[in-house]
Amino acid sequence: MKYYVAKRAINVLFIVFAVSVIIFLLIRLAPGDPAITMAGEHASAVTLARMRTEWGLNKPLIVQYFVWLRHALRGDFGQSILTHQSVLVELVQRFPNTLELSIFAMTFATIIGVLAGIVSAVRRYSFFDYASMIVALFGVSMPVFWLAIILIMIFGIRLNLLPTGGRLGVMYSITPITHLYLLDSLLEFRFPAFLDALKHLILPSLALGTIPMAFVARITRSSMLDVMSQDYIRTARSKGLGEKAVIIKHALRNALIPILTAAGTEFAGLMGGAVLTETIFSWPGLGTYIVQAVSARDYPAVQGAVIFVALIVALVSLIVDIFYSYVDPRIRYE
Amino acid sequence: MKNSILMEMLRYTRRSKSAMFGLFVICCFVFIAVAAPLIAPHNPLIQNLKGNLQPGFWASKGASFLGTDNFGRDILSRIIYGARISLTVGLVAVFIGVLLGMTAGVTAGFLGGWVDNLLMRIVDIMFSLPSILLAIVIVAILGRGLDKAMIAIGITYAPQIARVVRAQTIVVRNNEFIEAARAIGASSLRIMVVHVLPNILSVLIVYATLSIGSAILDAAALGFLGLGAQPPTPEWGAMLADGIHSITGGYWWVETFPGVAILFTVLGFNLLGDGLRDATDPRLRKNA
């Protein structure tokens, strides 16, 4: 088990390293003077000269990469051209915002998706089965940003029930402790602020969670159907177990592995969906950061953000792997 | 042999009502795209600022069926012309992805050894980034525009296809006819092209069909972010970005119909792709 975890952890390091090499090369390949690319078009001659010496831009590419790596390992990903802030500081500040949104969206997606999938599998070909599978099919076929717009039009504008942008109303303030607003407001017993933060979370997480929910529902259904036709389910039934016990204890537990894998891989997709959802809901997370950086050709920010996201995605998949090697011992001995 | 596998796949697919419905939807959109100049009631680019944000058929007298956008352009005509762009992007992007992924997958699976290791490592690395983010980064470096968006999306689809093709190639590689081909002195390249490729075609078709839907979604997303098709191109994602500010005024039609068009096109490809996939899986066939 230890060996397995260590092997996977080394793999995470390798992937992040490789992503950093590739993104480094890609940005150097972009047309134009790399000093201008990194300092912005409006940088003065002095700044440009300083950039060239500090980052070794007149040296060979391989030397440049190691100069960059030395900076990066100290937590220096350079300065954003747009905001003149340290890229790493900005990423760390924005990460909890995306994390809160993703956790909320994923929780909702998994709970509803698994429940709908189980009911669909158990009551196969029932009205509920058809209805939920049609909803799931529409869910995977629609653009996440369009769903977000429709939600805003219905709940934000027509019904005027929920806020359509930002994380918190202007009349509330929260002392950032964990930077997860729901948690912070509870820690200080500020219930009105908690409710307001919750309201701000609902529409973005509905938009972000719908596609993963549809995936989870479809996979739960097919995985449960697979398991339900196994001999051990017939054995469990024939020894007189109640249908509930058969479904929950015998079927669901065995159906869980594909569902977990799906939920794990969906997380990478979730970070992608966050780019669009955050943009529409003006959510100050990593997604909006990347879109702003790309639009402004803010290369240091793009570079830092991409490596940061790759690290997060790799860590999440590591955690999922460890988790299901714990659930299913067969995986460890492959 | 290749024909019998493909024909069998198509025969099973034809029995699936949902796959046939998907094919029907795709055919409708292909027809709309091809016949756009004949069926579009207005020019999709002509602006009419006096007649902007007019409602369509649901209001008493709508000059344009689905209403007009904030520049007074006819939304129905823009959606009709947009079908050309979305279908082209979907097909071209997936073609690029299939070309790259198939080459990498067959080479890795057939040759094995360090080539396989190297290629699969590259695939792993590309998988570590969400596909839309990878596409955004590639566009950031190549520059904006529809052509670059197609290339970017194609590249992001290659790893998925490479993995599937590699797995299938390994299965095919161990067949006796490969050994026979080698025994009569065929080169590796010839075996890959003449003997392996036809045998992985069915899997390739399934994945390509499923990928077209997602490629259309990704292209719309890039268009929406202003990184794909540039205005005034009537691309569905860019249309949604153009009209985003009109929603506060209650002009819901500007933001509703382009999305519906995306939804149904993607739905068509997903239904057909699901049907094709089920037809290649013997276990699912029995249940059908």
Side-chain angles (χ1 to χ4, degrees), chain B residues 41 47 49 59 101 113 121 172 181 200 220 267 284:
Chain B
Q47 303 187 358
L49 292 177
R121 273 297 147 102
V172 174
I200 57 169
L267 191 72
L284 288 170

Side-chain angles (χ1 to χ4, degrees), chain A residues 136-210:
Chain A
L137 193 65
F138 274 77
V140 294
S141 304
M142 69 172 109
V144 50
F145 56 95
W146 180 68
L147 176 64
I149 294 169
I150 297 292
L151 288 173
I152 290 180
M153 288 202 295
I154 297 173
F155 296 101
I157 294 166
R158 183 53 65 92
L159 300 175
N160 203 7
L161 278 177
L162 293 163
T164 59
R167 290 185 78 193
L168 201 63
V170 279
M171 56 286 230
Y172 300 100
S173 70
I174 285 176
T175 328
I177 304 164
T178 59
H179 289 274
L180 305 173
Y181 280 11
L182 288 185
L183 208 60
D184 285 349
S185 55
L186 280 185
L187 286 175
E188 292 195 300
F189 300 105
R190 292 189 185 170
F191 293 111
F194 172 80
L195 280 179
D196 193 60
L198 190 64
K199 273 186 181 171
H200 278 85
L201 257 172
I202 291 175
L203 288 186
S205 29
L206 263 180
L208 185 57
T210 298

Side-chain angles (χ1 to χ4, degrees), chain B:
Chain B
M1 174 164 181
K2 67 174 178 185
N3 282 339
S4 65
I5 294 177
L6 276 183
M7 291 312 285
E8 202 182 339
M9 180 171 98
L10 291 180
R11 214 177 59 231
Y12 278 104
T13 312
R14 255 176 50 197
R15 283 193 206 156
S16 151
K17 278 185 200 132
S18 59
M20 285 304 102
F21 177 70
L23 186 65
F24 172 72
V25 173
I26 296 168
C27 290
C28 288
F29 276 101
V30 169
F31 172 76
I32 289 171
V34 173
L38 300 174
I39 56 177
H42 297 275
N43 183 312
L45 298 178
I46 286 183
Q47 303 187 358
N48 171 18
L49 292 177
K50 276 184 197 157
N52 73 340
L53 298 171
Q54 292 300 310
F57 67 88
W58 53 94
S60 52
K61 60 166 188 70
S64 69
F65 188 62
L66 295 182
T68 57
D69 68 5
N70 38 339
F71 291 104
R73 294 172 296 202
D74 180 46
I75 291 179
L76 178 62
S77 308
R78 285 178 70 73
I79 289 178
I80 289 173
Y81 274 89
R84 294 186 153 189
I85 296 171
S86 285
L87 290 177
T88 315
V89 174
L91 290 173
V92 174
V94 169
F95 181 75
I96 295 172
V98 165
L99 215 59
L100 293 173
M102 186 182 71
T103 316
V106 171
T107 317
F110 189 75
L111 296 180
W114 67 269
V115 181
D116 185 23
N117 260 328
L118 178 75
L119 286 170
M120 285 307 113
R121 273 297 147 102
I122 295 174
V123 165
D124 282 346
I125 294 162
M126 290 177 76
F127 263 116
S128 67
L129 286 174
S131 70
I132 185 72
L133 184 62
L134 191 59
I136 288 175
V137 171
I138 295 172
V139 170
I141 286 145
L142 294 177
R144 318 160 173 235
L146 197 58
D147 45 343
K148 280 125 184 174
M150 285 193 270
I151 297 172
I153 295 168
I155 295 174
T156 60
Y157 281 68
Q160 174 77 37
I161 293 165
R163 253 189 204 175
V164 175
V165 167
R166 173 181 173 270
Q168 195 66 20
T169 305
I170 290 173
V171 174
V172 174
R173 186 181 63 183
N174 296 327
N175 275 317
E176 276 169 2
F177 63 86
I178 300 289
E179 207 176 314
R182 200 170 270 148
I184 59 169
S187 68
S188 288
L189 184 67
R190 188 182 154 77
I191 297 178
M192 280 194 260
V193 175
V194 179
H195 300 286
V196 177
L197 219 49
N199 285 295
I200 57 169
L201 215 57
S202 56
V203 181
L204 210 54
I205 291 173
V206 172
Y207 264 83
T209 313
L210 283 169
S211 304
I212 293 173
S214 348
I216 291 173
L217 280 180
D218 283 355
L222 287 178
F224 181 76
L225 291 172
L227 300 169
Q230 297 296 305
T233 317
E235 196 268 332
W236 294 337
M239 284 172 74
L240 288 171
D242 272 354
I244 186 93
H245 297 296
S246 33
I247 59 171
T248 41
Y251 309 110
W252 55 270
W253 55 90
V254 182
E255 289 296 281
T256 304
F257 299 119
V260 173
I262 303 175
L263 171 61
F264 276 96
T265 317
V266 177
L267 191 72
F269 282 105
N270 283 348
L271 283 173
L272 181 63
D274 279 350
L276 289 169
R277 187 185 51 201
D278 292 353
T280 48
D281 189 339
R283 273 199 321 165
L284 288 170
R285 247 187 233 164
K286 257 183 271 161
N287 298 339

Side-chain angles (χ1 to χ4, degrees), chain A residues 246-268:
Chain A
V246 172
I247 291 166
I248 292 170
K249 280 200 171 158
H250 293 250
L252 184 61
R253 278 202 188 171
N254 284 294
L256 218 55
I257 300 268
I259 300 172
L260 268 176
T261 318
T265 43
E266 266 312 295
F267 187 81

